[in-house]
C-alpha cells in the first residue's frame, strides 16, 4: 500500500540542516512539508483559552488528508525540538476538546526523522514518539537519523533516507 504521507518539520531554523534532510525526502518521494515554525501554535492550556491559534485546523488537515506522518526534528539537548514538543503537547486538545478530530489519529502511521551532530542518538530519544503512537493508537513505522558533514548531505545519509522512504512505502 502506498501511503499518503506528510512531513511535519519542527525546527527553530526553517532553513537548517534538518530541512536539508526533509527536502531530500520530499523531492525524492513528492512528500509535502508543513513547517511548524510557520504556524501559530501556542502552548497547551487546561482551560483551552488557546483556540484562536492554528492547531485545530492543522490537526483537521492532517487527519482528513494523510495516513502517515513523519515528524522531522533536530536533536536539541538530546530530545525533540521545543516546537515539536509543543505540537505533541497540543495533541491533548484532540483527546479532551476535539475528540472527533483526535480519534482520527487512531490507525494512522507515525515515523520520525531526526537530525543532529552525533551520528548515534542517545538511548531513549524515540521513546516519546513510540509511546505517543501507542497511546493514540497509531502505528509506529520507524525512524531514521541523519546529519550533514561540512554542510553536505552525504551518500550514506541519502541511502538511509532512500531506505526509509522504501520502508514507509512512499513514492
Amino acid at each position: 500500500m502506498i501511503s499518503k504521507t506528510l512531513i511535519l518539520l519542527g525546527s527553530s531554523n526553517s532553513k537548517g540542516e534538518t530541512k536539508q534532510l526533509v527536502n531530500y525526502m520530499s523531492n525524492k518521494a513528492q512528500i509535502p512539508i508543513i513547517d511548524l515554525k510557520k504556524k501559530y501554535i501556542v502552548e497547551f492550556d487546561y482551560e483551552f483559552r488557546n483556540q484562536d491559534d492554528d492547531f485545530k485546523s492543522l490537526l483537521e488537515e492532517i487527519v482528513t488528508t494523510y495516513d502517515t506522518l513523519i515528524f522531522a526534528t533536530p536533536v536539541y539537548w538530546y530530545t525533540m525540538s521545543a516546537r515539536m514538543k509543543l505540537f505533541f503537547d497540543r495533541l491533548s486538545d484532540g483527546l479532551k476538546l476535539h475528540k472527533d478530530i483526535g480519534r482520527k489519529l487512531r490507525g494512522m502511521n507515525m515515523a520520525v526523522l531526526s537530525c543532529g551532530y552525533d551520528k548515534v542518538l542517545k538511548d531513549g530519544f524515540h521513546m516519546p514518539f513510540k509511546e505517543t503512537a501507542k497511546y493514540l493508537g497509531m502505528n509506529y513505522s520507524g525512524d531514521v537519523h541523519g546529519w550533514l558533514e561540512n554542510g553536505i548531505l552525504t551518500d550514506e545519509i541519502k541511502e538511509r533516507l532512500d531506505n526509509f522512504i522504501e520502508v514507509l512505502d512512499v513514492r
Side-chain angles (χ1 to χ4, degrees), residues 43-50 90 92-93 96-97:
E43 66 187 16
F44 176 75
D45 181 340
Y46 283 97
E47 295 174 8
F48 302 106
R49 294 175 295 190
N50 53 6
R90 287 297 298 280
S92 296
D93 287 20
K96 297 181 178 294
L97 186 63

Side-chain angles (χ1 to χ4, degrees), residues 8 21 39 64 66-67 117 119 130 144 151 162-163:
L8 277 176
L21 275 71
K39 298 290 184 180
T64 59
Y66 303 99
D67 59 28
Y117 293 107
K119 293 183 179 182
K130 290 177 179 178
V144 64
D162 291 344
N163 290 338

Side-chain angles (χ1 to χ4, degrees), residues 10-117:
S11 178
S12 294
N13 184 354
S14 293
K15 297 178 182 175
E17 293 185 1
T18 305
K19 180 67 185 287
Q20 290 185 50
L21 275 71
V22 164
N23 282 344
Y24 179 84
M25 283 189 67
S26 176
N27 292 332
K28 183 88 177 196
Q30 289 74 51
I31 305 171
I33 303 165
I34 292 179
D35 184 349
L36 292 175
K37 185 171 180 159
K38 295 181 180 175
K39 298 290 184 180
Y40 175 63
I41 300 174
V42 299
E43 66 187 16
F44 176 75
D45 181 340
Y46 283 97
E47 295 174 8
F48 302 106
R49 294 175 295 190
N50 53 6
Q51 298 304 298
D52 292 336
D53 70 1
D54 295 332
F55 182 78
K56 180 183 176 194
S57 62
L58 175 58
L59 189 60
E60 282 179 314
E61 177 184 350
I62 289 168
V63 300
T64 59
T65 309
Y66 303 99
D67 59 28
T68 300
L69 299 177
I70 300 173
F71 291 101
T73 182
V75 179
Y76 293 150
W77 291 100
Y78 315 103
T79 190
M80 71 178 81
S81 69
R83 190 162 306 282
M84 186 65 71
K85 177 65 167 79
L86 180 65
F87 180 86
F88 270 66
D89 286 350
R90 287 297 298 280
L91 289 172
S92 296
D93 287 20
L95 301 174
K96 297 181 178 294
L97 186 63
H98 307 296
K99 294 177 184 179
D100 56 323
I101 301 168
R103 285 186 184 115
K104 293 178 183 173
L105 290 165
R106 183 171 300 285
M108 291 181 69
N109 304 308
M110 177 195 294
V112 177
L113 166 63
S114 58
C115 180
Y117 293 107

